Amino acid sequence: MRAVVARPPTAGAELVDAPNPGLAPGRVRVRVLEVGVCGTDRDIVAGEYGEPPAGSPALILGHENLGQVAEVGPGTSGLAVGDLVVATVRRGCGRCRFCLANRSDFCETGEYSERGIRRADGYLADEYVEAPEYLVPVVPALRSVAVLLEPLSIVEKAVRMGLAVLDRKEPTPGFPRTGAPSALVAGTGAVGMLAALVLRIRGFDVVAIDRHDADVSGELLGVIGARHANVRDGVGALGGARVDLVIEATGSVPLDFDLVDVLGPNGVLVLTGIPDADAPPTTVPGGALFRGLVLHNQAVVGSVNANRTYFEAGVRDLRAFEERWPGLTARLISSRRPMERWAELLVERPAGTIKNVLTVGPDGSSAEGAR
Ligand code: BGC
């Protein structure tokens, strides 16, 4: 089968002919339809992240995925040939209490693997084999947007983390909040844009920031009733606005510190962008920073990966997005190209794009394919 592989920590990638994975009892063979490309994939191709499976020099790339069940092994239940599925990414260590409870996104040993990223092959290949517990069914009506489910699962978890902290102060019986809660989303890539959608559905006033003037992302934000702001010169451009919740999706260290200044009293900043570990050291006024966090009950929390429950929440929200803003979610996908053109997406992110997708199987993303 065709597969795009990298050899971390060596930079580079190539399209190769790889052996088809064998089907075993209790497993499902999935024909890959689409794979989304993100910064993590580009970091792996740059040789800065990722790890091949044990004993192999090569790692099949791809973790944002959509596929179709092609064959069901004996003793498998719950899925049938033809079903659309999105596979989760992380596989647990098999030892810690979180992994044993299907919550490997909180793995305590660090001995997890992640398909397409760390110690396990990914989905940028003609097919893969997996156990049904890691395959999330998607209804055909969501065919054209389902490749966004993995980044949406990251958002679902991050928002849940934020709301868990915000819930400390809600509700106060007899003293209901006046006005909508407010949120700021940092970054208008797929994670940032999906966060804006989720937060609008949850009733937040939303401003989304990035470092360029409003383009298609700004237009889409306008449609969902969110605001776009260019903060190229820092969050001071927001004029001292303070919000309840910040969802960060940039991985920019200086911005991470700036975002603390945007928090209102009792606010929470959830970080999802993964900064470069070799980012230049930053000098921060630590006293003022921590003093502010304490005096205002604020929290800064990191959030990585997502377990199956967040993929399932994402399926519900994809439907909610379609109901509220028909056709809008599909516009987050800026381009689709055949997997042979992997190099156009896995080296640099094309400017001005939100989510770029490699098509592996037949392109059924058009209106005709999306039943
Ligand atoms: C993926 C997550 C993963 C993280 C760290 C992200 O790009 O979406 O599933 O846990 O990278 O490897």
Side-chain angles (χ1 to χ4, degrees):
M1 66 173 183
R2 299 169 305 158
V4 178
V5 301
R7 294 187 163 73
T10 304
E14 60 183 318
L15 181 66
V16 299
D17 189 17
N20 290 61
L23 186 64
R27 306 266 150 161
V28 171
R29 183 189 303 283
V30 179
R31 187 174 57 113
V32 178
L33 298 174
E34 296 182 339
V35 168
V37 176
C38 80
T40 299
D41 303 306
R42 285 187 278 269
D43 286 349
I44 298 170
V45 172
E48 293 164 4
Y49 194 59
E51 191 181 329
S56 167
L59 168 77
I60 298 179
L61 288 165
H63 61 278
E64 299 181 7
N65 67 95
L66 171 65
Q68 191 161 31
V69 174
E71 192 180 354
V72 172
T76 312
S77 60
L79 288 172
V81 171
D83 285 353
L84 292 177
V85 288
V86 171
T88 62
V89 175
R90 193 174 280 195
R91 302 293 171 263
C93 68
R95 289 190 286 127
C96 80
R97 64 197 175 111
F98 289 107
C99 289
L100 292 172
N102 302 320
R103 300 177 71 201
S104 59
D105 52 322
F106 287 108
C107 178
E108 289 182 322
T109 65
E111 292 304 313
Y112 59 82
S113 59
E114 290 181 339
R115 293 200 65 157
I117 301 176
R118 182 188 200 235
R119 304 181 187 174
D121 281 328
Y123 309 115
L124 190 42
D126 282 313
E127 57 182 41
Y128 67 89
V129 164
E130 190 48 275
E133 66 189 283
Y134 301 117
L135 300 174
V136 180
V138 175
V139 292
L142 295 176
R143 165 68 173 86
S144 64
V145 293
V147 72
L148 295 170
L149 186 55
E150 195 277 341
L152 179 55
S153 74
I154 302 295
V155 170
E156 297 286 353
K157 176 177 171 183
V159 169
R160 181 77 201 92
M161 298 277 278
L163 293 181
V165 181
L166 288 176
D167 279 351
R168 297 170 304 176
K169 54 173 181 149
E170 297 283 4
T172 306
F175 296 89
R177 147 188 290 284
T178 52
S182 56
L184 180 139
V185 171
T188 56
V191 170
M193 292 298 290
L194 289 165
L197 267 72
V198 167
L199 291 166
R200 287 296 295 141
I201 289 274
R202 305 273 190 284
F204 278 75
D205 283 339
V206 176
V207 57
I209 61 169
D210 55 28
R211 289 174 174 159
H212 48 79
D213 291 331
D215 50 10
V216 63
S217 52
E219 182 203 331
L220 298 178
L221 288 164
V223 173
I224 65 168
R227 194 162 62 83
H228 170 267
N230 181 344
V231 292
R232 191 171 21 226
D233 301 320
V235 295
L238 295 168
R242 296 281 181 271
V243 299
D244 299 302
L245 175 62
V246 179
I247 302 289
E248 179 276 342
T250 70
S252 161
V253 176
L255 180 67
D256 288 351
F257 284 111
D258 279 355
L259 290 173
V260 176
D261 295 335
V262 177
L263 291 177
N266 313 314
V268 53
L269 161 60
V270 186
L271 304 173
T272 74
I274 305 175
D276 181 356
D278 300 323
T282 315
T283 305
V284 291
L289 177 75
F290 288 122
R291 180 187 166 90
L293 291 181
V294 172
L295 292 181
H296 302 113
N297 297 297
Q298 293 161 334
V300 179
V301 58
S303 178
V304 70
N305 194 253
N307 65 53
R308 184 184 177 111
T309 62
Y310 299 108
F311 283 74
E312 290 167 349
V315 171
R316 291 192 291 275
D317 270 343
L318 284 175
R319 300 183 89 138
F321 300 163
E322 283 309 307
E323 266 168 39
R324 183 139 163 207
W325 306 292
L328 180 127
T329 315
R331 294 187 62 199
L332 301 184
I333 299 175
S334 309
S335 76
R336 283 186 166 86
R337 309 162 201 223
M339 74 186 286
E340 290 76 13
R341 290 168 60 189
W342 61 269
E344 293 170 26
L345 301 182
L346 279 164
V347 180
E348 295 278 334
R349 170 165 152 191
T353 60
I354 301 173
K355 174 56 65 187
N356 297 287
V357 169
L358 291 167
T359 54
V360 180
D363 184 354
S365 59
S366 60
E368 193 193 347
R371 279 172 284 158

